[in-house]
């Protein structure tokens, strides 16, 4: 397994990480046994970075990872790194009501996560979205106290803009920024990515397949389950979906010429953007994981990258990456 290092202060990880959210929530029903088998397969393949959030299935995802690690071979378990997001406030019905970044809340969230994960430390800890009512310095300061106490190893951030990144980094070392980055979500290239590189902060890129939209497996006539949040995502709606799948069709021609899949091409593109970027793949099944791992078996040369740029130019996606009410919570978009 190829490795990369998250920033100048963060840990060394596998070149791909496994995003575990879909095993518990937001993409419709999932298979617990297959989810655990997929985590085991990822560990066996050398993936070390497991990404989760305490609000994914209201703790379900952390408990799932706990079970997967407990039942994995000791050697794989010892190499695994947990990346945990916190702060999202939920309702019994599954709704989101905001974010809480108060120092006491940070420590409370961490205590519950440690219990659910069955571990004595979290490798990377980050608030999922900035709490607009709490200065980022206070939230980061609380995580820094958890680091000092040995409960957390590294501090991360999620979906913050360049200014917030600077403010946070002035308080304590930041290992990485987790943020959406894909062929059709390239907003970070303007200011956020250059700022992260200036500060020595790595990137863990989620949404590299845009929630399956650019995986090559999504069809125009696909019916989404009622509990699949993509049914409310602008990029999956009507004409937007048609325009975005036209981009996928153009990408497919390039992939076929290389003898690889669309998903592998999209993941390889993110890998090509720099050694400081670790893509998170959201595979929920072993076959999808195996496909994603294939992105490590080839490189995109200059001609490939130029062809991809022509097929899917920056800003070509139709629709925002989240519904309006969720976009409003993204510090990275303001």
């Amino acid at each position: 397994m190829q490795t990369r290092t998250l920033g100048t202060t963060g840990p060394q990880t596998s070149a791909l990480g496994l995003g575990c959210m879909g095993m518990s929530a937001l993409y419709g029903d999932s298979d617990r046994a297959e989810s655990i088998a997929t985590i085991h397969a990822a560990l066996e393949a050398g993936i070390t970075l497991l990404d989760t959030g305490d609000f994914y299935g209201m703790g379900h995802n952390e408990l799932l990872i706990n079970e997967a690690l407990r039942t994995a071979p000791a050697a794989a378990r010892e190499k695994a790194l947990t990346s945990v997001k916190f702060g999202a406030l939920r309702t019994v019905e599954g709704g989101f009501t905001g974010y809480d970044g108060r120092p006491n809340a940070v420590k409370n969230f961490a205590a519950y996560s440690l219990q659910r994960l069955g571990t004595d430390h979290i490798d990377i800890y980050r608030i999922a979205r900035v709490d607009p009512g709490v200065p980022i310095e206070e939230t980061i300061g609380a995580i820094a106290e958890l680091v000092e106490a040995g409960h957390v190893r590294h501090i991360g951030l999620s979906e913050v803009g360049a200014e917030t990144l600077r403010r946070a980094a002035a308080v304590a070392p930041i290992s990485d920024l987790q943020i959406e980055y894909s062929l059709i979500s390239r907003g970070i290239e303007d200011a956020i990515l250059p700022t992260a590189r200036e500060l020595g902060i790595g990137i863990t890129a989620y949404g590299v397949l845009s929630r399956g939209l650019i995986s090559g497996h999504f069809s125009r006539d696909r019916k989404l389950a009622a509990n699949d949040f993509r049914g409310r995502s602008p990029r999956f709606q009507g004409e937007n979906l048609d325009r975005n799948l036209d981009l996928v069709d153009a990408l497919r021609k390039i992939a076929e010429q290389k003898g690889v899949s669309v998903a592998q091409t999209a993941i390889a593109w993110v890998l090509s953007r720099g050694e400081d970027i670790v893509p998170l793949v959201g595979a929920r099944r072993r076959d999808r994981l195996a496909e994603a791992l294939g992105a490590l078996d080839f490189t995109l040369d200059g001609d490939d990258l130029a062809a991809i740029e022509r097929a899917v130019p920056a800003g070509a996606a139709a629709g925002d990456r989240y519904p309006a009410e969720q976009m409003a919570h993204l510090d990275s978009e303001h």
Side-chain angles (χ1 to χ4, degrees):
M1 171 59 68
Q2 302 167 28
T3 60
R4 295 187 169 186
T5 301
L6 293 179
T8 55
T9 65
Q12 184 181 78
T13 81
S14 49
L16 290 180
L18 182 65
C20 300
M21 179 188 77
M23 298 177 179
S24 296
L26 299 175
Y27 289 121
D29 296 336
S30 59
D31 183 316
R32 186 180 188 87
E34 181 62 24
S35 295
I36 290 173
T38 300
I39 295 173
H40 285 169
L43 295 171
E44 184 178 351
I47 287 180
T48 58
L49 184 62
L50 303 178
D51 183 77
T52 185
D54 64 8
F55 51 94
Y56 294 165
M58 284 72 127
H60 178 279
N61 205 238
E62 290 177 319
L63 292 168
L64 184 77
I65 290 173
N66 179 338
E67 183 177 347
L69 291 176
R70 278 190 293 106
T71 53
R77 182 169 64 247
E78 290 164 5
K79 293 178 182 177
L81 302 172
T82 53
S83 168
V84 179
K85 290 179 290 300
F86 69 89
L89 303 176
R90 306 294 303 272
T91 66
V92 174
E93 294 74 24
F96 287 84
T97 59
Y99 297 88
D100 193 343
R102 295 171 300 160
N104 284 341
V106 172
K107 294 171 183 177
N108 176 77
F109 288 130
Y112 279 75
S113 283
L114 288 168
Q115 180 67 28
R116 285 188 292 261
L117 289 166
T119 183
D120 62 358
H121 73 275
I122 295 166
D123 291 289
I124 311 170
Y125 202 47
R126 68 186 89 239
I127 191 164
R129 301 286 186 269
V130 173
D131 179 348
V134 178
I136 194 63
E137 290 85 353
E138 293 185 17
T139 301
I140 296 298
I143 305 176
E145 291 179 13
L146 290 170
V147 172
E148 187 175 350
H151 304 311
V152 169
R153 295 278 169 83
H154 303 280
I155 304 172
L157 285 164
S158 175
E159 285 289 355
V160 304
E163 179 186 353
T164 303
L165 200 56
R166 290 187 186 282
R167 288 170 54 195
V171 176
I174 305 297
S175 68
D176 68 305
L177 167 63
Q178 187 173 123
I179 195 162
E180 186 167 356
Y181 189 35
S182 74
L183 263 171
I184 64 170
S185 295
R186 296 175 58 176
I188 73 168
E189 293 176 348
D190 296 332
I192 295 172
L193 183 55
T195 301
R197 286 175 167 161
E198 175 193 334
L199 297 171
I201 296 170
I203 299 290
T204 41
Y206 77 89
V208 295
L209 297 179
S210 300
R211 300 162 187 84
L213 181 59
I214 60 171
S215 67
H217 300 299
F218 204 93
S219 62
R220 286 173 168 80
D221 58 355
R222 180 171 172 179
K223 302 299 182 185
L224 295 170
N227 57 346
D228 189 325
F229 88 110
R230 291 175 294 187
R232 300 180 297 280
S233 174
R235 289 184 176 173
F236 289 82
Q237 307 299 315
E239 292 184 4
N240 286 351
L241 178 62
D242 286 336
R243 287 172 57 190
N244 292 329
L245 290 180
D246 285 344
L247 298 174
V248 177
D249 290 339
L251 186 62
R252 182 176 282 107
K253 294 176 182 176
I254 298 168
E256 288 175 348
Q257 289 173 357
K258 285 193 71 69
V260 298
S261 75
V262 174
Q264 288 167 343
T265 305
I267 296 167
W269 182 88
V270 179
L271 283 164
S272 78
R273 308 315 284 177
E275 289 291 321
D276 53 349
I277 297 173
V278 175
L280 299 172
V281 296
R284 300 195 294 167
R285 304 187 334 229
R286 284 167 286 180
D287 59 336
R288 293 287 194 253
L289 172 67
E291 180 183 22
L293 287 166
L296 297 169
D297 295 336
F298 67 95
T299 56
L300 298 170
D301 62 26
D303 290 341
D304 296 328
L305 293 170
I308 291 170
E309 192 72 30
R310 290 191 297 271
V312 190
D320 287 334
R321 55 195 182 100
Y322 284 104
E325 64 273 15
Q326 294 181 45
M327 289 291 287
H329 288 294
L330 297 177
D331 182 76
S332 55
E333 295 285 341
H334 303 307

